[in-house]
Amino acid sequence: MSINRRQFLRRAGVITALGLGSSFVISGFRKKEVAEAAGFAKAPKDMPAKRWAMVVDMSKFKTEADMNKVVEACHKLHNVPDFGNPKDEIKWIWKDDYHHTFAGGFNEYLDENVMHSPFLVTCNHCDNPPCVKACPTQATFKRPDGIVAMDFHRCIGCRFCMAACPFSARSFNFKDPRTHIDEISPEYPTRTPGVVEKCNFCYERLADGLQPVCVEQSNGGLIFGDLDDPNSEVRKIISTKLTIRRKPELGTQPCVYYLVGGGEHD
Amino acid sequence: MYKGGKIIASLIIFAALFTIPFFYNMGKVNAGPDVALDTPAIQRLPASEQQCVESPEFMKENHMQLLNQWREEAVRNGQTVYINSQGKKFDISLQDTCLKCHATESASNPVVLNNPANSTGVSNPALNASPEFCASCHDYSAVKPLCWTCHFEPKEAVK
Ligand code: SF4
Ligand code: SF4
Ligand code: SF4
């Protein structure tokens, strides 16, 4: 038996049509969307804001122990693992020296104290965040309240955001973090290997009407509030005192401000 | 056809081998998953909280889509409260809402703790043999959700 080209094409067409048609009969009429959801709302205690920001007053941190307390509180609450070596280190908030914190701000007559004392640094939740632009999956995104947040579910671990962030505020999980957490905090999920993480301005606490845990533990050294609100403490400090930001020349518009000289403010 | 007989015979043998599992299982009744909807964890809750966020039929069919919606709204839009079709409000939280009922209560069970999939002593409702909910159906349908690599069981259950 032999068939010619025309017959072959006709038969192939019929079989394809049958195949497509029957798969449509099986799956095509199924409901695709969840229609029953009636709606969503903000948590009742959720604190609304237009632009969350933080002021760091280093003069309130008398000893390194004061700083460690803040770092530990954050890392404990958010199940940040400790791998015990700098290569795998995961950090949401940490201490760094003057040169790394304010690169380019050096002059040789700078106060010895300032130059050799550590600064607390974290994600700046930039107004113009390069990490968000670099992220190909929108796992990193900017919320309407200014927080640069992450959807860990969606992170594919490409690390573009780490390359894009000029502040090294992001860390990558090379290994399973769960096995390197001393004491699990059930308040916040852990991460998996292959996921990037960073400070989230404690948005899970803001939804419960609470301040970030680092602010709570800082004895007034960290001040948190809505920069858009003219009566907020952060706004008053920033508009009346001299504050500096990290690497402002890069144009990312950091929203973590460092109070120069410290001293009194209300 | 060149060597037609051999080709057709081989094809028949191939088709027969390939379909053996299908014919082998044909007609046998398969015991479905054993889902208990009335567990001690549920009985302990007040009557007003014994209902799931939506009807059981809806949840059986759509819980994955619903969870996706919850994740999207909570993580990306900051909407952490779900208002169901009856107008009742629920916190969007696997740990504090879903697992109030859907828990294995096995966090203290040595078999569970020694399972390497449950690092740091946190039990994994999606993996552990449990007569209830998640694991029973997921085992039956060979689905392995990854929720518990990050999320936890309810606070009381975590050591
Ligand atoms: S500090 Fe880095 S991670 Fe944070 S928002 Fe700015 S660019 Fe992104
Ligand atoms: S590592 Fe994750 S968050 Fe970073 S750019 Fe890639 S997908 Fe986005
Ligand atoms: S705001 Fe929250 S997440 Fe960010 S450093 Fe402070 S405690 Fe950590």
Side-chain angles (χ1 to χ4, degrees):
Chain A
M1 180 193 79
S2 76
I3 56 173
N4 63 26
R5 183 185 159 84
R6 181 180 294 260
Q7 283 168 322
F8 172 77
L9 286 176
R10 191 181 293 139
R11 286 179 203 172
V14 169
I15 291 170
T16 311
L18 271 178
L20 285 179
S22 53
S23 74
F24 182 72
V25 167
I26 292 168
S27 67
F29 299 119
R30 261 194 223 149
K31 211 172 54 178
K32 292 238 162 57
E33 278 297 304
V34 181
E36 203 151 336
F40 294 89
K42 296 262 183 205
K45 289 190 197 151
D46 186 75
M47 291 203 281
K50 292 228 173 74
R51 177 64 257 191
W52 288 119
M54 190 185 276
V55 171
V56 182
D57 178 357
M58 287 312 298
S59 72
K60 294 278 197 316
F61 294 94
K62 302 289 181 221
T63 60
E64 284 217 25
D66 292 345
M67 285 181 229
N68 293 340
K69 195 169 128 207
V70 166
V71 174
E72 271 158 29
C74 169
H75 287 184
K76 192 162 175 294
L77 172 68
H78 295 113
N79 285 318
V80 176
D82 181 7
F83 290 107
N85 74 66
K87 195 187 129 278
D88 296 327
E89 186 186 15
I90 311 272
K91 48 193 176 26
W92 285 32
I93 179 166
W94 68 103
K95 295 173 296 182
D96 213 337
D97 59 21
Y98 180 84
H99 287 282
H100 283 119
T101 310
F102 300 108
F106 171 74
N107 73 65
E108 59 181 305
Y109 304 110
L110 207 61
D111 177 15
E112 280 281 306
N113 264 337
V114 170
M115 220 161 65
H116 295 294
S117 46
F119 287 82
L120 270 179
V121 282
T122 181
C123 168
N124 290 292
H125 295 272
C126 308
D127 249 352
N128 186 14
C131 53
V132 170
K133 279 190 203 140
C135 181
T137 63
Q138 290 173 16
T140 293
F141 58 97
K142 198 157 175 290
R143 306 189 347 154
D145 57 6
I147 295 179
V148 175
M150 278 194 65
D151 181 350
F152 299 122
H153 304 96
R154 209 184 262 198
C155 174
I156 56 171
C158 66
R159 306 173 67 204
F160 288 0
C161 54
M162 293 176 70
C165 171
F167 306 98
S168 305
R170 298 171 156 266
S171 315
F172 181 70
N173 285 284
F174 286 98
K175 299 181 188 154
D176 184 6
R178 270 212 174 171
T179 53
H180 288 80
I181 301 167
D182 284 342
E183 200 187 324
I184 290 278
S185 141
E187 305 286 329
Y188 198 79
T190 58
R191 269 70 61 197
T192 53
V195 167
V196 161
E197 58 185 270
K198 70 168 191 78
C199 156
N200 64 2
F201 259 7
C202 287
Y203 69 67
E204 81 281 6
R205 287 172 63 91
L206 298 176
D208 286 341
L210 299 167
Q211 291 269 306
V213 72
C214 58
V215 174
E216 243 173 36
Q217 296 291 324
S218 68
N219 290 326
L222 302 175
I223 304 112
F224 187 81
D226 186 1
L227 208 50
D228 195 62
D229 171 8
N231 297 315
S232 71
E233 201 183 347
V234 281
R235 174 74 173 268
K236 280 185 194 153
I237 296 171
I238 290 165
S239 56
T240 57
K241 308 273 170 182
L242 180 58
T243 52
I244 52 174
R245 294 184 287 176
R246 298 185 64 199
K247 306 184 185 176
E249 69 279 10
L250 296 177
T252 71
Q253 301 292 354
C255 284
V256 175
Y257 291 75
Y258 292 80
L259 187 59
V260 179
E264 287 317 300
H265 52 77
D266 17 65
Chain B
M1 206 192 304
Y2 184 63
K3 285 196 176 167
K6 277 187 186 166
I7 292 175
I8 288 170
S10 315
L11 275 178
I12 289 172
I13 291 171
F14 172 75
L17 282 177
F18 202 74
T19 50
I20 275 179
F22 176 73
F23 288 112
Y24 181 76
N25 284 321
M26 201 166 68
K28 284 188 192 162
V29 181
N30 201 336
D34 174 18
V35 182
L37 288 178
D38 197 17
T39 64
I42 297 180
Q43 285 159 5
R44 278 198 299 273
L45 293 173
S48 59
E49 294 197 8
Q50 293 188 355
Q51 283 301 313
C52 196
V53 296
E54 296 288 355
S55 69
E57 294 70 39
F58 177 85
M59 292 309 284
K60 271 181 204 158
E61 281 181 18
N62 298 309
H63 64 281
M64 342 64 179
Q65 287 91 336
L66 185 84
L67 287 173
N68 271 349
Q69 278 189 345
W70 276 27
R71 173 180 76 191
E72 209 71 5
E73 293 296 336
V75 178
R76 306 190 80 84
N77 301 333
Q79 310 261 64
T80 53
V81 172
Y82 175 69
I83 306 165
N84 79 359
S85 44
Q86 263 84 55
K88 201 170 166 212
K89 290 180 180 170
F90 294 89
D91 271 356
I92 294 186
S93 165
L94 277 182
Q95 190 176 305
D96 297 338
T97 301
C98 305
L99 291 189
K100 255 193 215 155
C101 299
H102 296 245
T104 61
E105 304 200 319
S106 47
S108 48
N109 179 343
V111 180
V112 172
L113 291 181
N114 295 335
N115 182 341
N118 307 317
S119 46
T120 61
V122 178
S123 82
N124 187 330
L127 290 179
N128 291 316
S130 150
E132 293 138 37
F133 305 113
C134 306
S136 41
C137 284
H138 291 162
D139 283 350
Y140 177 74
S141 48
V143 178
K144 290 200 175 66
L146 296 174
C147 314
W148 316 109
T149 51
C150 295
H151 291 278
F152 298 118
E153 283 206 68
K155 282 160 196 157
E156 312 83 60
V158 178
K159 285 202 312 164

